[in-house]
Amino acid sequence: MTITALSAIPTDARELSIWPASMTPLPHGGLAVGGVPLTEIADRFDTPAYVLDEGEVRGRCRTYREAFPDAAVLYAAKAFLSRAMVRWVREEGLGLDVCSAGELELAVTSGFPPERIVLHGNAKSPRDLEAALRLGVGRIVIDSPSEIARIAAAVGPDGRQKVMVRVVPGVSAGGHDKIRTGTDDQKFGLSLTDGGAQHAVTRILGQPQLELTGLHCHIGSQITDVKPYLVALRRMVGLMARIRDAHGVVLPELDMGGGHGIAYRPGEPALDLTALARRLRAELIEGCAAARLTVPRLLIEPGRAVVGPAGVALYRVLAVKHTGEKVFVAVDGGMSDNPRPALYGVRYAPRLIGRTSAAETRTTTVVGRHCEAGDVLAADVHLPGDIRPGDLLAVPVSGAYQLSMASGYNLVGRPAVVAVHEGTARLLVRRETLQDYRSRDIGV
Ligand code: LLP
């Protein structure tokens, strides 16, 4: 048991660092984000609710564009997608990385220019490819040999589609085994080491319907160190030089994927974007000079680092239980809106909001309301000892891969998404209701 501050309000810079920049402490234990008190959002929109700070998302898009002025920055839609998100990203001048017909259609029908979209996927369905060609997607990233003939045939004799090849550069990086994608022991991409990537390139170059614009790699996610990117880049440039030597083709684009790590708790490391930009650029220029290659245009695909820190999850406490040595605080959401602790062992830092507490803090496990013991949102966190039903908890850094991975487990319903900006809150995505489930469930 730890005895710390009386109030649960983060005040020092280290604690503030994981919240949106707009976060302001208010009297009586309140917190405002985007100029709107979080308690007001909970009252108005109910809980659980996901709050997205529009200014923070836009600011992060701008930070990327400033750090990578010569590169195309594509937001990875899988981290979180909604029509508003599509608009913000478009207005901030980013492109988009999608991996299904669903993400693609939502983006295009929300006004996103298709030529600024890249379609990924290790197993693209006929519907994915049909939508990509119909909507005129900018690039399709080929991930397996069988796609080459499939896409060429779907394009038809008179068409031409820009494509890239996803290469596995043999670099291991990422915050968890399940999100490491840079080595040959996982399902994505074509291998650099066994010649699969080179073979695919040769075949693509033989297809008049396909225009190979460049190579792609995505080595993993939640990476906090620049080095694996540099190693991967060096190998990708090496392959580009070999393609030039073998085929006389100089590829104009190199997509280094996303994976930029963020801090989920105060004091955790995050990837330094300025350092990444500077060192990638230097490595690219040096590597290309050594290989006498024209420097390709760089593309990057950040998802988590654009939207993760802009999101705050709000939950209402439903029950408090003391079991032996443990204190469990159960809230009105859980693994159906945030499966990440269960999947990747991610640790979050929830906060009591809406009142101050004079109680000593104690080690508490915040759990969800779902029917399994693994439904833990935050194990062994320090929260005031007098937390009780009705209290509000806010979880920062909740913008990425929570709602986009939300499920219908226990028919609890997926939470509402609320945007905050300059003192105003507005509903972006309404809460899922029983009526939604019933309208899909049409059999008897
Ligand atoms: N590009 C490609 C081809 C990707 O597969 C991904 C993520 C990204 C870009 C964006 O990566 P980011 O910058 O967001 O790390 N559900 C996991 C993360 C899975 C990432 C999948 N691919 C999580 O919650 O941590």
Side-chain angles (χ1 to χ4, degrees):
M1 193 175 291
T2 333
I3 298 167
T4 49
L6 293 182
S7 157
I9 300 304
T11 45
D12 63 60
R14 188 166 166 272
E15 297 234 356
L16 285 171
S17 65
I18 60 164
W19 289 82
S22 70
M23 192 275 244
T24 336
L26 301 173
H28 314 298
L31 284 187
V33 173
V36 184
L38 293 179
T39 48
E40 206 178 289
I41 294 172
D43 291 342
R44 188 172 150 205
F45 299 99
D46 206 356
T47 53
Y50 274 71
V51 181
L52 262 190
D53 183 340
E54 178 179 341
E56 183 74 24
V57 172
R58 288 184 182 274
R60 286 178 173 268
C61 293
R62 283 176 208 156
T63 303
Y64 266 105
R65 295 218 48 209
E66 281 156 23
F68 293 87
D70 314 322
V73 183
L74 314 178
Y75 168 63
K78 66 208 82 185
F80 172 74
L81 197 64
S82 74
R83 286 162 54 203
M85 192 71 197
V86 169
R87 179 165 70 85
W88 302 340
V89 166
R90 172 176 56 77
E91 286 175 0
E92 297 304 331
L94 272 59
L96 210 56
D97 141 7
V98 300
C99 61
S100 69
E103 289 178 354
L104 177 58
E105 298 254 9
L106 185 84
V108 175
T109 54
S110 307
F112 204 90
E115 64 278 7
R116 271 161 55 189
I117 304 180
V118 171
L119 174 71
H120 286 286
N122 70 301
K124 297 177 192 76
S125 71
R127 217 186 121 226
D128 295 333
L129 288 182
E130 182 279 319
L133 299 177
R134 171 171 46 83
L135 297 170
V137 78
R139 281 144 191 69
I140 299 176
V141 180
I142 290 177
D143 195 292
S144 68
S146 59
E147 276 181 4
I148 299 168
R150 247 179 100 204
I151 300 174
V155 167
D158 305 322
R160 198 158 157 81
Q161 172 65 47
K162 289 185 173 152
V163 296
M164 303 184 89
V165 172
R166 176 153 178 175
V167 177
V168 184
V171 177
S172 180
H176 189 277
D177 266 350
K178 293 189 177 104
I179 53 174
R180 288 189 193 121
T181 49
T183 49
D184 286 338
D185 51 1
Q186 51 76 53
K187 68 174 182 171
F188 293 101
L190 293 150
S191 173
L192 190 64
T193 35
D194 75 3
Q198 293 88 319
H199 188 60
V201 166
T202 307
R203 286 187 49 210
I204 293 167
L205 292 173
Q207 295 279 357
Q209 290 85 359
L210 305 182
E211 176 187 346
L212 183 64
T213 66
L215 303 181
H216 170 278
C217 72
H218 171 76
I219 54 177
S221 198
Q222 186 57 7
I223 300 167
T224 51
D225 186 5
V226 171
K227 271 190 225 118
Y229 287 103
L230 301 179
V231 177
L233 184 127
R234 222 168 288 147
R235 294 185 185 170
M236 298 294 280
V237 169
L239 179 55
M240 290 180 116
R242 291 200 293 285
I243 292 169
R244 189 259 333 262
D245 294 344
H247 304 285
V249 172
V250 178
L251 298 175
E253 294 177 346
L254 175 59
D255 187 335
M256 292 301 295
H260 312 160
I262 57 175
Y264 282 89
R265 291 184 302 166
E268 282 182 358
L271 186 66
D272 177 344
L273 289 187
T274 320
L276 177 72
R278 182 173 37 83
R279 296 184 62 192
L280 271 183
R281 206 180 135 70
E283 189 69 46
L284 185 61
I285 290 169
E286 211 172 286
C288 288
R292 277 177 281 108
L293 260 183
T294 311
V295 177
R297 178 162 201 226
L298 197 63
L299 285 75
I300 54 165
E301 302 170 339
R304 186 193 311 272
V306 171
V307 76
V312 178
L314 292 181
Y315 300 102
R316 187 78 68 181
V317 174
L318 295 179
V320 178
K321 189 184 282 180
H322 299 249
T323 312
E325 291 286 284
K326 286 232 168 222
V327 180
F328 290 104
V329 166
V331 298
D332 55 0
M335 66 194 305
S336 65
D337 63 85
N338 185 2
R340 304 193 64 256
L343 277 174
Y344 320 113
V346 178
R347 317 269 320 257
Y348 286 83
R351 286 273 162 191
L352 169 68
I353 55 160
R355 71 174 174 92
T356 46
S357 168
E360 290 174 5
T361 60
R362 68 183 169 197
T363 306
T364 304
T365 292
V366 179
V367 295
R369 53 166 299 173
H370 292 282
C371 293
E372 61 179 80
D375 178 24
V376 172
L377 281 175
D380 299 333
V381 289
H382 294 151
L383 286 170
D386 64 348
I387 292 217
R388 51 190 184 245
D391 276 340
L392 271 181
L393 295 184
V395 183
V397 204
S398 288
Y401 300 111
Q402 292 180 206
L403 288 175
S404 64
M405 295 176 75
S407 74
Y409 194 25
N410 298 145
L411 295 195
V412 163
R414 285 174 286 179
V417 186
V418 177
V420 289
H421 193 48
E422 295 172 351
T424 310
R426 65 187 198 279
L427 190 61
L428 293 187
V429 184
R430 70 159 170 78
R431 184 176 308 287
E432 199 169 25
T433 63
L434 183 57
Q435 188 49 43
D436 293 320
Y437 287 112
R438 289 180 54 184
S439 62
R440 286 183 60 219
D441 185 344
I442 53 169
V444 276

